[in-house]
Amino acid sequence: MLDLFNIGIVVTIFSLLYAYRSTIARERVIRDAHGQIAVVNLLDFNVIGTEGSFRDDPHHQYFNPTNHTTPFFQVFDDEFIDVIGSNPSLNVISSDPSFAFAHEAPVWVPHSDEIFFASNAGGDLGRSDLNHNNQIAKISLKDVAQAMAEGPADVNVTHYKIDLPDDVQMTNGGTGLYKGKIILTNEGRGHLPANLALMDPHPPYNVSILLDNFYGRQFNSLNDVKVHSSGNIFFTDVPYGYYQHFKADPQLPNQVYSFNPGTGAIRVVADQLNKPNGIAFSKNHKTVYLADTGSLIAKFGINLTLPATIQEYDVDSKTLAFKNPRVFAYADSGAPDGLGVDEFGNVYGACFDGVNVWNPSGILIGKFFLGTKSANFAFAGKGRLVILAETKIYLAQINAKGMSLMYG
């Protein structure tokens, strides 16, 4: 048996090891070579006080109590250090201040190391409306790496426009690769219907339409999409085309659908969200996260009393029905749009101040803080997160990787 002296030695050793581990954790932050990490102790800011200044416009006033210069990594919890690593960087890699060319539908193609994406459909600086389609484009991350050969820095690589047939109108969502192809969700425009499409990521970018109706009825404006491990395609439908004045009045409720491309069967799996938007599955595909951007009504304005939440559901292993809905998180800035999940099970949401990250328990652990709106993002392999921010694209070089979105 250990005597008191030996017990004391053991306790001392464990205390030293714990202190060393804590020191290492602190040093990881201190070694921030690019000066882009801001640690926020929430206990210091839990009380604003009677003489304090509250945020009464959360869509334009952001929570940045340290007044750190954007862009930066805002750390609320040590778990976020596991995400970003000890020496992360966050830089602009492509920009055009006159054009919201980088809005939604980011998809990484591994073999070419390219990111495909779509411009803003009907929004400010979108160059698209009832009479004009939006644009799909791509950038090469190889070009980015070459431009950053001497280290992380802001660069402006060329984004290349992709010409697609008239079947593809007002693209807003994308995922893949699905059997080697990119899946696009298109909102439609005027009399041209919303649809699900497959696009070859190689020239001449051939397109085939998978689905454009619900038993003969037009969808409203298909928004976002993910593929379940079963091979079923899940997508959201919300009438942002109507809210942006390039589609007619909605003809269906705001719903989430499951589509089996093998049998053609389609069904509704969720219908109690105000405006279902981004969608993401957990790593084991037993849980699904759905963004509800109810507070954002586009040309009709903003209603802060409507949802700006991420809802969480169980996915039935046999029927794939969405069950047991509950609130996962509420965004403090704007509303979560595009969603994603990383290797640690953390949930990412594109919000009005950048990309917010919640741990699997729904606790906000940190932000990729841009100080401007982001609608979507995509992991590009281990340690790279590409963030779309309307007139800019950012590259975050970090520690985490996202869960694979490839199927087939």
Side-chain angles (χ1 to χ4, degrees), residues 30 49-50 75 103 111 148 178 189 193 199 224 256 260 272-273 294 321 327 330 349 355 377 400:
I30 293 171
T50 56
V75 181
H103 177 64
H111 54 265
M148 290 188 180
Y178 174 80
R189 180 171 59 87
M199 185 188 85
D224 210 348
V256 184
N260 185 330
Q272 296 302 307
L273 295 97
V327 173
Y330 175 81
V355 176
F377 56 87

Side-chain angles (χ1 to χ4, degrees), residues 49 84 102-103 135 168 221 234 250 275 286 313 320 349 359 371 387 396:
I84 63 177
H103 177 64
Q135 170 184 292
V168 178
S221 298
F234 288 78
K275 296 179 183 67
K286 294 181 179 180
Y313 297 75
L320 304 183
N359 71 11
I387 304 172

Side-chain angles (χ1 to χ4, degrees), residues 9 86 102 171 205 207 266 308:
I9 291 176
S86 62
T171 299
Y205 307 108
V207 171
I266 181 171

Side-chain angles (χ1 to χ4, degrees), residues 7 29 81 96 119-120 186 204 206 267 272 285 292 295 301 331 342 353 362 376-377:
I7 290 174
V29 176
I81 300 298
D96 181 347
S119 65
N120 195 310
N186 304 301
N206 293 326
R267 63 166 295 192
Q272 296 302 307
H285 287 251
D292 190 342
S295 65
D342 71 12
D353 56 0
N376 220 319
F377 56 87

Side-chain angles (χ1 to χ4, degrees), residues 48 53-59 61-63 332-334 353 367:
I48 294 177
S53 177
F54 291 83
R55 296 166 57 206
D56 55 10
D57 183 5
H59 290 75
Q61 298 171 334
Y62 309 127
F63 183 70
D332 75 273
S333 176
D353 56 0
K367 298 182 179 184

Side-chain angles (χ1 to χ4, degrees), residues 145-173:
Q146 184 175 0
M148 290 188 180
E150 297 183 2
D154 289 349
V155 297
N156 191 7
V157 302
T158 302
H159 48 273
Y160 300 93
K161 182 177 182 292
I162 305 298
D163 292 320
L164 296 178
D166 287 343
D167 303 64
V168 178
Q169 294 289 326
M170 297 299 205
T171 299
N172 192 78

Side-chain angles (χ1 to χ4, degrees), residues 87 180 184 350:
N87 194 32
L184 300 176

Side-chain angles (χ1 to χ4, degrees), residues 95-111:
S95 63
D96 181 347
S98 70
F99 182 27
F101 70 99
H103 177 64
E104 281 265 23
V107 178
W108 177 54
V109 179
H111 54 265

